[in-house]
Amino acid sequence: MGEDEEKIEIELEHDDIDEMYYQGLWGFRTDEKYQFFYDESNNCRKFWIKPDGGKGLFNTDAYEDFVLAGIVHEKEDYRVTLDEIKDCLGLQKNVREIKFKTQFASGDFLECMKKKRLTSLFKWIDLNGLYIHYHYVNNLYYAVVDIIDSIVDINEVEEYGFQYFLIKSSFYKMLKGKEHKLQKLMFRYCYPNIRSEDIRGFCTGLTALFDRRYDLKPEEKFISGLIQRASNNESLIFVQNNTDFIMKENYVEFYINPIRTFKNSYHTFDEELAIQEVLSQYRLTRNGKEVTNFKFVNSKTDVLVQISDVIAGVMGKFLSYINKSELIGIRRDVNGLNRTQIENIMLLNGLRDKSNNKNVGFLQAVTAQYEIDKMNHFLDLVTARNEAT
């Protein structure tokens, strides 16, 4: 965008009401001063259904969550050199940059946890008074929960004795393992831009993906009934009047969100040209003044952004492992962990706990409660094994 072109102004309001919202609803403070550093993992740029010769397939693995994550600290003048990190990790003198894919990535999450280099890095982060932060998005969950929002409101859900977010989580779980048929259904009806005349067909196709009714749990029967009722609707507000096939145009909102939320903090992002191009179309303001508490840098110039790349990479693999694993497999995996894997997982979980205790806002997720519960179960099992050895 040229300098002379008019930008779209986005006002990032953040007054006392906003503070009450974040602290009251989510339990975290946003007025404290921090230095955030970011990198991303599993960035598919946009999440959509590719026609692919009429097959209609997701453009990426729906269980590889988009992750924006990294390091955070409180000291405005904190400095660390690349040589210091190389010495900590036992890297050769000629290494120019710390990269997850180069020095840490080795197969899936459990394979990564075998790296003693990770042990050294996690301990270094903890001993230097640093915290981790992340915000991740489960693409499939993000794509399908708009259906629930379109067919029922929170009051009706609660009147029937259910919890709204758990209903969303159950709906997501009802569709897990059925991605192939779900993609075909979405493609057939141009999801998330369903025409009014196609509502009945879409809802009928959706319920056909569910298990037999007498096998469903009470909350699943409730969901199935809601969708059958919705087949008579004239509109499904959140999955209509959108662009055919595109469920997530980009992930720019997850870059803007921390800038808005932590207004007194400074945010340093790794270069991401697609995001920067979108942001160049906007003028972010607060109380009429342009927001300047962020920048994008080449990771080669900032060691803490490089370390953030490792945190984002680890979390990306961790979340993919959780999303793709079932409880029986998780128990088997935990029983097979070696000492280094257990130590690294415990160190990672310790950093999560430490960061969460510092500020709940450091760790955020857009995913199903089902996946969060699975993650917690995995960590509980690893903790039990650690205590038993």
Side-chain angles (χ1 to χ4, degrees), residues 318-384:
F318 186 23
L319 295 165
S320 294
Y321 167 73
I322 294 297
N323 290 342
K324 296 175 183 180
S325 300
E326 297 302 329
L327 293 178
I328 293 177
I330 285 174
R331 295 189 193 99
R332 182 179 60 248
D333 290 341
V334 171
N335 287 334
L337 295 176
N338 64 32
R339 189 63 235 172
T340 299
Q341 289 172 302
I342 292 173
E343 183 177 14
N344 279 335
I345 293 167
M346 293 307 301
L347 286 169
L348 176 60
N349 194 38
L351 289 173
R352 290 175 68 248
D353 288 343
K354 173 184 174 181
S355 302
N356 189 66
N357 290 335
K358 181 64 177 178
N359 195 313
V360 178
F362 287 174
L363 310 181
Q364 299 187 51
V366 179
T367 191
Q369 184 62 43
Y370 168 70
E371 301 295 4
I372 294 173
D373 292 343
K374 231 196 307 177
M375 177 191 290
N376 290 335
H377 182 67
F378 169 80
L379 294 170
D380 287 343
L381 289 175
V382 177
T383 300

Side-chain angles (χ1 to χ4, degrees), residues 35-39 71 73 78-82 85 96-99 266-271 295-310:
Q35 301 289 319
F36 286 87
F37 298 82
Y38 301 79
D39 209 329
I71 294 296
H73 66 78
Y78 184 84
R79 295 289 183 272
V80 59
T81 66
L82 180 59
I85 301 300
R96 301 287 184 87
E97 185 177 5
I98 309 299
K99 293 288 290 182
Y266 198 84
H267 308 269
T268 301
F269 300 93
D270 184 30
E271 283 183 332
K295 65 180 177 181
F296 288 83
V297 301
N298 187 315
S299 61
K300 292 180 180 179
T301 69
D302 197 308
V303 179
L304 291 179
V305 171
Q306 295 174 33
I307 296 174
S308 296
D309 173 67
V310 180

